[in-house]
Amino acid sequence: MSLPVPSLVDIDRALSSAEGLRFDAGLEARYEADLGGARSRRMAQAALALAVVWAVVPLYDAWLVADVLPLSIFVHLCVVVPFGLATARMIAQGAAPSVREWLSAGTILIAVAAILAVQTSSEAPSAIHHHWLAALPILYGNVVMRPRAVPATVASAVALVLYGAALGLGSVPAAVAVVATVNMAATVVFTLIAGHLSERELRRAWLSKLRSEVTAHRLTHRNDELRQLSHLDTLTGLANRRALDTRLDELALWSKAQGQPVAVMMIDVDHFKQFNDRYGHPEGDRCLVQVARAACEQVRRKDDLIGRFGGEEFLVLLPGAELAVATRVAERIRRAVEGLEIAHAGSLGGVVTVSIGCMAGVVDDDWTIEDCLRAADGALYAAKRRGRNRVCPPVVVPSGAEIGDEFATGEPTRLVPAA
């Protein structure tokens, strides 16, 4: 499931936070989604490394506290090492974030407890030096494994309490016990601070990167919106002339490369000037919107495009369609518009109607997309000359004539055959 894009306000608020070790729920979920996998791999590797290294601790104990070597072998090889391996496995297999953090902190605490258990059980004179080893899990855990602040603090605090208790119960001289406890407390504080700073810098770096990504995403999205708006007619919501010109160029290349026909329909609202003069421009705009909607509903394929060509004219592009197909679609559009029954006293039938000219052909070296448009435009004017509210096939357009020119007043000389 994709997470929602955070707001810049939330990101800036998190960046300004002095503590910076915890985000709100949304940002925290995104942080875990982005970096949780890498964090889990690092912590699993750290737990595995600790388990491997801890397997040699009994060799150290054999030299320093040989009288309790069996206990040392048991607590280190049968407790700490298996726990570290289990922690590494569970984290690597995708343990929940909270479980991952507490398992890592637990590994630290168990390693410290194992050292102290051996130290307090030994009666060897050299045992008074054994407790210094307890600082190593704290250093490794808080700096390398680096669980989150709460688990790390809890595990370190409990370890410090156990450490002080072990020295108080053992044969360590009081002065040494005090100094050792202060040193251990300093180790705990300094490593927690180091972990805090490291985690905070990591989070701030991630926030800065996320802010850049969100800003870029919004700019891209905004540019896409602007680009889309620049290709839409503001009145009808259909493609505008720019979008139609772009699509015509694309279809010309496609038709020539694939040898497939392109069908073009030119639609014009009959007697629209009289409609505007009689009912006013606001009603004229509403009329165009309704005509556009009715025509759009009849253009059903996803690759087809209908747009406002200019004024009361619309253009329909049907890639891959023969003339017969275009004629059927045009007739559906004509009937749909007539069926709106928009009152028009200046029209022959008393309602708003449209005239449609159709053309279809394959673009090649001798037949351009402009020729196709010109032929459809000629068919449109033929439909108007024949009484309007009708669909007409293509006619031949004299060379050099421009689209929209009323270049003929009589009947068309011949039909252009369908591609």
Side-chain angles (χ1 to χ4, degrees):
M1 182 180 64
S2 60
L3 296 172
V5 178
S7 70
L8 291 176
V9 173
D10 291 338
I11 295 174
D12 289 340
R13 185 184 300 116
L15 278 170
S16 64
S17 172
E19 189 261 343
L21 289 184
R22 188 74 184 176
F23 304 139
D24 60 36
L27 271 180
E28 193 67 34
R30 181 64 179 261
Y31 180 74
E32 178 63 28
D34 287 352
L35 301 185
R39 181 177 180 82
S40 293
R41 287 191 295 273
R42 178 181 61 76
M43 296 182 84
Q45 292 167 359
L48 178 62
L50 178 65
V52 171
V53 171
W54 220 252
V56 304
V57 171
L59 297 178
Y60 171 85
D61 288 351
W63 171 58
L64 201 61
V65 286
D67 60 323
V68 289
L69 184 58
L71 175 63
S72 172
I73 293 173
F74 174 76
V75 296
H76 295 311
L77 298 186
C78 299
V79 179
V80 178
V81 171
F83 192 90
L85 293 174
T87 295
R89 181 179 178 82
M90 291 178 67
I91 293 176
Q93 289 181 339
S98 59
V99 174
R100 175 189 66 204
E101 303 301 324
W102 284 104
L103 280 174
S104 298
T107 302
I108 302 169
L109 182 58
I110 288 176
V112 172
I115 292 170
L116 296 177
V118 172
Q119 188 265 328
T120 55
S121 300
S122 176
E123 296 180 357
S126 57
I128 61 173
H129 304 293
H130 188 267
H131 63 88
W132 298 111
L133 187 62
L136 293 181
I138 298 294
L139 284 167
Y140 184 81
N142 289 345
V143 176
V144 178
M145 295 184 74
R146 208 166 65 246
R148 300 277 192 239
V150 173
T153 301
V154 170
S156 297
V158 173
L160 182 60
V161 171
L162 291 178
Y163 185 81
L167 294 187
L169 293 174
S171 57
V172 179
V176 173
V178 171
V179 172
T181 302
V182 171
N183 284 341
M184 178 60 82
T187 300
V188 167
V189 172
F190 293 157
T191 54
L192 286 176
I193 291 175
H196 170 95
L197 294 176
S198 178
E199 178 69 11
R200 187 177 68 177
E201 289 308 309
L202 180 64
R203 284 174 172 256
R204 290 181 67 84
W206 175 80
L207 283 171
S208 297
K209 180 182 177 183
L210 181 63
R211 195 184 195 287
S212 299
E213 291 175 352
V214 170
T215 301
H217 171 80
R218 293 195 172 188
L219 286 174
T220 301
H221 182 67
R222 182 58 179 165
N223 287 338
D224 289 343
E225 288 182 338
L226 292 174
R227 190 178 299 110
Q228 184 179 14
L229 288 174
S230 72
H231 284 75
L232 292 179
D233 176 62
T234 55
L235 175 63
T236 63
L238 300 180
N240 62 13
R241 183 63 180 267
R242 177 186 295 178
L244 289 171
D245 288 342
T246 300
R247 185 59 172 155
L248 282 168
D249 291 339
E250 293 172 351
L251 290 179
L253 295 174
W254 172 83
S255 177
K256 189 172 183 179
Q258 301 297 324
Q260 294 293 317
V262 175
V264 175
M265 289 184 287
M266 294 288 291
I267 306 172
D268 187 81
V269 181
D270 295 326
H271 301 296
F272 188 69
K273 183 179 183 305
Q274 291 91 322
F275 186 94
N276 267 337
D277 292 342
R278 179 180 291 269
Y279 300 105
H281 288 282
E283 284 300 319
D285 288 347
R286 277 190 283 272
C287 173
L288 289 178
V289 170
Q290 294 180 70
V291 169
R293 185 180 298 118
C296 188
E297 289 173 353
Q298 306 307 316
V299 180
R300 298 165 182 169
R301 299 186 310 172
K302 66 175 184 178
D303 292 329
D304 297 342
L305 179 66
I306 178 171
R308 190 179 179 191
F309 198 65
E312 68 274 18
E313 284 190 332
F314 299 90
L315 182 67
V316 180
L317 305 176
L318 309 177
E322 301 285 351
L323 181 59
V325 173
T327 303
R328 287 196 297 270
V329 174
E331 182 60 24
R332 289 205 310 264
I333 292 174
R334 188 197 66 78
R335 292 180 180 177
V337 173
E338 189 177 31
L340 294 174
E341 296 184 346
I342 303 172
H344 185 357
S347 177
L348 184 61
V351 296
V352 170
T353 59
V354 293
S355 298
I356 305 176
C358 301
M359 179 57 200
V362 177
V363 175
D364 55 28
D365 293 336
D366 300 320
W367 179 256
T368 67
I369 199 69
E370 288 77 15
D371 293 330
C372 196
L373 275 174
R374 191 176 291 110
D377 196 52
L380 169 63
Y381 280 91
K384 287 180 171 294
R385 290 191 304 273
R386 294 179 183 180
R388 293 182 168 82
N389 190 23
R390 67 188 64 234
V391 174
C392 266
V395 298
V396 171
V397 179
S399 176
E402 295 294 332
I403 295 174
D405 285 351
E406 299 192 40
F407 45 77
T409 57
E411 293 298 311
T413 58
R414 66 180 177 88
L415 300 181
V416 177

